[in-house]
């Protein structure tokens, strides 16, 4: 049966209800504690290391995000595995949970389209993640202000802000993936397991596997093609894309993320930071990849949900 | 006794004849009181020293008491030997004893010539030497200064070296102080003729000459022209001076900078950007036919519009456009490019920092990809939308 009227009808209601559900759930308590502990641990480690090691640095504040001190990983590495976990945790039972609670047909009997239900669930989960990430970001900056005693510059804040947006996009990819599987699989446990499996595969195994695949595909005498192919393959993983974005944004001296010829470096002034806009341009393909992957995965979930029988 | 001694000496000479044949023994015998300059000129109120010698030619040593006679009232004549007043001397055979006659002439002494007699009296020998002392208000010049090449020509960057000869015409060794009177900001220094040690004074023996070198370094900014330098030397009352001159020819000096002294520029990879470059001539002569060139990283194309400048007058500047094209594969970031301007030996260069930004085409392509993804979503919503 064709839909009549706007697909957005009821979107606001669903989003608000889902948001309030998220914020009052036990998961949110866990998330909040994770946020606070991660911020404390990362900032503590970074501050110790900065005090010991870093000399004068025009981007001292950005070091807060990227500096690690053994055995703690840096704030960015914390995020690169914490964000997928948070997103999957919020999204893995978005639709099949309604099935198992037998509430889906009851919701859809209201004047709410399926479009609005899925959009609302996605937006609410993304909103929850954004709130957590913004809180985390503000916590780190605040703690950094207190402990470093150095006010951040305008460009540093702009870079940190774009980094926050990229992190939210990165969370969106995993959220869309988790929601796709929550549509595909009726069992929440299966959906969670499959999503976590894909996450582990893409984050841990794929970066090691990609060069091997490249070696098998590309003739071995063409070193350049080999390098480029291996890099292209690793970039299929959102974790790699996120890591490269962070490198370009939080390390202003990064000039490129691809292979570099020696001739391209002739006359280059090493260690000179790139302007903000150029750094964004360096990371732009990666950012586009994250945003486009989010949209396409969501569309996949949307199509699957629209074609599903929900009255069973 | 004297005859026996002579016989002995003759015998000795006969024995040593082959060895001593070369030496010509002066055919003089006796005791002499000697002075290099037995007539001197002094100023009233000063102290003058006359060096004297008591020479014994072939006589047995004898004690000789010394005396000064004929000194006018108020004068003080002292005989000094080995730094202390003496009253007697004893020269060995064929040897001499040096001593000085010091004359303290009072201020109010009348001008004119006085004769002071120094005598040495022994038991068998009596010698005396009259010394004429002329009192004069002004002593004749005792120093002279002669530059070897008094006129030199060069550019502001060359050093001008004048060798000059100082002659001490007076009767005693003088410590001659050296000074040069040069135009403002000209750097002068004196060195030995063959040496690098800088000097402010140099000792010159009586009657001898010494060479010194005056080095003049003009300031970079001096205009072309002729600049005189006066050299003054002096020791006590004796003074002398000489004039030398520098003939400075001007030369162009080129400097490069961007507008308002900016040394940075922006360029986009793969496209030509124009950077204004100002070539200034801060030298003292016009720069003719200024050629412009650039040292850029490999793969970069840098040309100038115009390629060369006909003429830049002193303290004038001309603007040219540098057209920079980084290769399309250039990585974003800062690069160093050197721009050169050269005009017949004179060279000016400046390092420009060129910030390369990558083309925004890929950024637009990225927006397109996101747009396409959104379109797919809209399409899916339209196609699959249902109750």
């Amino acid at each position: 049966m064709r839909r009549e009227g706007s697909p957005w009808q009821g979107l606001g209601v669903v989003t608000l209800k889902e948001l309030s559900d998220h914020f009052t759930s036990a998961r949110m308590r866990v998330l909040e504690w994770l946020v606070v502990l991660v911020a404390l641990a990362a900032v503590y480690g970074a501050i110790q290391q900065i005090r010991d090691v870093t000399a004068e640095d025009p981007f001292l504040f950005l070091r807060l995000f990227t500096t690690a001190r053994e055995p703690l990983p840096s704030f960015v590495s914390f995020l690169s595995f914490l964000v997928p976990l948070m997103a999957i945790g919020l999204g893995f039972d978005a639709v099949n949970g309604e099935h198992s609670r037998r509430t889906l047909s009851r919701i859809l009997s209201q004047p709410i389209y399926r479009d609005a239900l899925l959009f609302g669930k996605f937006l609410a989960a993304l909103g929850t993640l954004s709130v957590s990430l913004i809180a985390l970001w503000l916590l780190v900056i605040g703690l950094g202000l207190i402990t470093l005693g150095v006010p951040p510059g305008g460009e540093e804040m702009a870079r940190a802000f774009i980094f926050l947006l990229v992190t939210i996009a990165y969370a969106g990819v995993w959220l869309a993936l988790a929601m796709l599987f929550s549509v595909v699989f009726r069992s929440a446990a299966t959906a969670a397991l499959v999503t976590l499996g894909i996450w582990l595969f893409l984050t841990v195994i794929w970066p090691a596997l990609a060069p091997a695949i490249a070696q098998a595909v590309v003739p071995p005498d063409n070193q350049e093609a080999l390098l480029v192919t291996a890099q292209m393959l690793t970039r299929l993983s959102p974790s790699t894309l996120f890591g490269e974005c962070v490198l370009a944004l939080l390390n202003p001296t990064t000039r490129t993320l691809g292979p570099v010829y020696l001739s391209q470096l002739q006359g280059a002034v090493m260690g000179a930071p790139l302007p903000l806009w150029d750094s964004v341009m360096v990371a732009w393909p990666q950012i586009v990849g994250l945003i486009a992957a989010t949209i396409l995965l969501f569309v996949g979930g949307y199509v699957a949900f629209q074609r599903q029988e929900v009255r069973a | 006794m004297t005859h026996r001694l002579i016989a002995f000496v003759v015998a000795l000479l006969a024995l040593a004849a082959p060895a001593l044949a070369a030496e010509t023994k002066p055919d003089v015998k006796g005791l002499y009181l000697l002075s290099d300059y037995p007539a001197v000129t002094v100023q009233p109120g000063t102290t003058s020293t006359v060096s004297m010698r008591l020479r014994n030619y072939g006589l047995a040593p004898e004690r000789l008491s010394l005396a000064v006679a004929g000194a006018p009232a108020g004068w003080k004549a002292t005989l000094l030997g080995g730094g202390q007043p003496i009253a007697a001397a004893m020269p060995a055979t064929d040897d001499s004893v040096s001593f000085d006659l010091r004359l303290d002439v009072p201020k109010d002494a009348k001008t004119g010539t006085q004769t002071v007699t120094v005598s040495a009296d022994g038991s068998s020998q009596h010698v005396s030497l009259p010394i004429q002392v002329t009192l004069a208000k002004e002593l004749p010049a005792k120093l002279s200064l002669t530059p070897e090449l008094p006129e030199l020509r060069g550019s502001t960057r060359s050093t001008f070296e004048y060798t000059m000869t100082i002659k001490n015409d007076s009767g005693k060794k003088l410590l001659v102080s050296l000074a040069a009177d040069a135009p403002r900001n000209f750097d002068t220094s004196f060195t030995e003729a063959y040496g690098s040690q800088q000097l402010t004074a140099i000792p010159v023996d009586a009657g001898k000459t010494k060479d010194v070198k005056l080095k003049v370094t003009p300031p970079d900014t001096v205009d072309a022209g002729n600049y005189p330098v006066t050299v003054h030397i002096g020791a006590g009352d004796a003074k002398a001076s000489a004039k030398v001159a520098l003939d400075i020819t001007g030369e162009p000096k080129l400097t490069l900078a961007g507008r308002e002294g900016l040394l940075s520029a922006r360029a986009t990879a793969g496209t030509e950007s124009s950077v204004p470059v100002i070539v200034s001539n801060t030298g003292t002569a016009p720069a003719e036919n200024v050629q412009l060139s650039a040292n850029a990283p490999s793969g970069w194309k840098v040309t100038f519009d115009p390629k060369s400048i006909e003429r830049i007058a002193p303290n004038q500047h001309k603007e040219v456009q540098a057209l920079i094209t980084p290769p399309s594969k250039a990585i974003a970031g800062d690069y160093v490019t050197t721009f050169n301007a050269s005009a017949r030996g004179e060279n000016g260069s400046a390092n420009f920092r060129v910030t390369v930004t990558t083309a925004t085409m890929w950024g637009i392509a990225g927006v397109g990809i996101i747009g396409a993804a959104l379109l797919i979503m809209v399409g899916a919503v339209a196609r699959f939308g249902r109750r």
Side-chain angles (χ1 to χ4, degrees), chain A residues 154-183:
Chain A
E155 196 188 323
E156 281 177 291
M157 285 312 288
R159 280 176 185 275
F161 182 69
I162 296 172
F163 161 70
L164 173 68
L165 295 183
V166 168
T167 313
I168 291 172
Y170 178 57
V173 175
W174 296 109
L175 183 65
L177 186 75
M179 285 185 73
L180 170 65
F181 287 119
S182 82
V183 172

Side-chain angles (χ1 to χ4, degrees), chain A residues 1-3 114-115 255-256 260 264 266-269 272 274 278 281 284 288 291 295 298-299 302-303 306-307, chain B residues 297-298 329 331-336 353 357 362-363 366-367 370 373-374 377 380-387:
Chain A
M1 188 178 151
R2 297 295 299 171
R3 175 189 57 216
R114 284 191 196 187
D115 315 74
R255 292 189 159 198
T256 180
V260 179
Q264 287 175 302
Q266 198 200 347
V269 182
L274 248 57
D278 285 311
M281 288 311 291
W284 183 241
V288 166
I291 295 174
I295 295 172
F298 177 77
V299 168
Y302 172 84
V303 171
Q306 295 294 330
R307 297 171 63 115
Chain B
S298 72
K329 282 201 164 182
I331 297 170
D334 289 3
Y335 294 84
V336 171
R353 191 157 168 157
T357 52
W362 283 108
V367 173
I370 294 179
L374 285 172
M377 188 167 80
V381 169
R383 167 72 181 78
F384 296 102
R386 53 182 278 192
R387 279 192 63 109

Side-chain angles (χ1 to χ4, degrees), chain B residues 127-324:
Chain B
V127 285
S128 64
L129 178 70
I131 291 173
Q132 271 186 354
V133 181
T134 307
L135 289 185
K137 284 290 174 222
E138 283 292 319
L139 277 179
K142 288 198 253 178
L143 287 171
S144 71
L145 180 69
T146 326
E148 207 168 281
L149 299 166
E151 297 255 349
L152 295 181
R153 186 182 166 90
S155 75
T156 51
R157 275 184 302 183
S158 36
T159 49
F160 295 82
E161 289 184 343
Y162 302 90
T163 307
M164 2 191 118
T165 309
I166 300 173
K167 189 161 195 297
N168 178 4
D169 288 326
S170 70
K172 57 184 173 184
K173 183 175 177 174
L174 293 176
L175 185 65
V176 181
S177 62
L178 307 163
D181 217 359
R184 203 179 152 80
N185 291 334
F186 279 56
D187 192 31
T188 58
S189 64
F190 288 95
T191 57
E192 308 158 73
Y194 301 101
S196 57
Q197 189 61 51
Q198 292 199 6
L199 309 168
T200 54
I202 189 167
V204 185
D205 287 333
K208 294 285 168 57
T209 61
K210 255 201 185 157
D211 284 355
V212 291
K213 202 156 67 179
L214 166 67
K215 199 159 130 181
V216 184
T217 314
D220 282 349
T221 51
V222 76
D223 290 334
N226 198 292
Y227 295 88
V229 174
T230 314
V231 183
H232 301 282
I233 59 171
D237 296 320
K239 283 191 182 66
S241 66
K243 272 199 168 137
V244 294
L246 294 83
D247 190 10
I248 293 176
T249 57
E251 63 170 29
K253 190 169 182 185
L254 296 170
T255 53
L256 281 90
R259 269 193 201 135
E260 288 155 10
L262 216 63
L263 287 174
S264 67
R266 293 185 74 86
T268 308
T271 52
E272 191 180 81
S273 335
S274 159
V275 178
V277 178
I278 289 169
V279 186
S280 320
N281 180 3
T282 54
T284 48
E288 312 268 352
N289 190 20
V290 181
Q291 298 287 333
L292 293 157
S293 61
N295 280 341
S298 72
W300 287 48
K301 210 179 103 194
V302 181
T303 54
F304 290 92
D305 180 34
K307 283 195 180 76
S308 64
I309 304 168
E310 194 91 339
R311 178 191 157 92
I312 308 174
N315 295 320
Q316 296 291 310
H317 57 80
K318 290 267 166 74
E319 187 176 306
V320 294
Q321 298 292 323
L323 305 170
I324 304 176

Side-chain angles (χ1 to χ4, degrees), chain A residues 77-148:
Chain A
S77 339
F78 259 129
L79 277 191
S80 72
F81 65 80
L82 188 67
V83 165
L85 277 183
M86 286 160 67
I88 295 169
L90 284 178
F92 78 97
D93 62 347
V95 175
N96 50 20
E98 301 278 353
H99 276 297
S100 56
R101 285 195 298 274
R102 305 194 178 283
T103 46
L104 193 57
S105 40
R106 220 176 288 171
I107 293 169
L108 291 178
S109 65
Q110 306 294 320
I112 290 168
Y113 292 120
R114 284 191 196 187
D115 315 74
L117 182 70
L118 204 65
F119 276 131
K121 277 182 177 291
F122 183 79
L123 287 181
L126 199 61
T128 312
L129 281 170
S130 303
V131 167
S132 315
L133 288 174
I134 290 169
L136 182 55
W137 185 76
L138 288 175
L139 255 178
V140 169
I141 288 180
L143 285 173
L145 270 176
I146 293 170
T147 46
L148 278 181

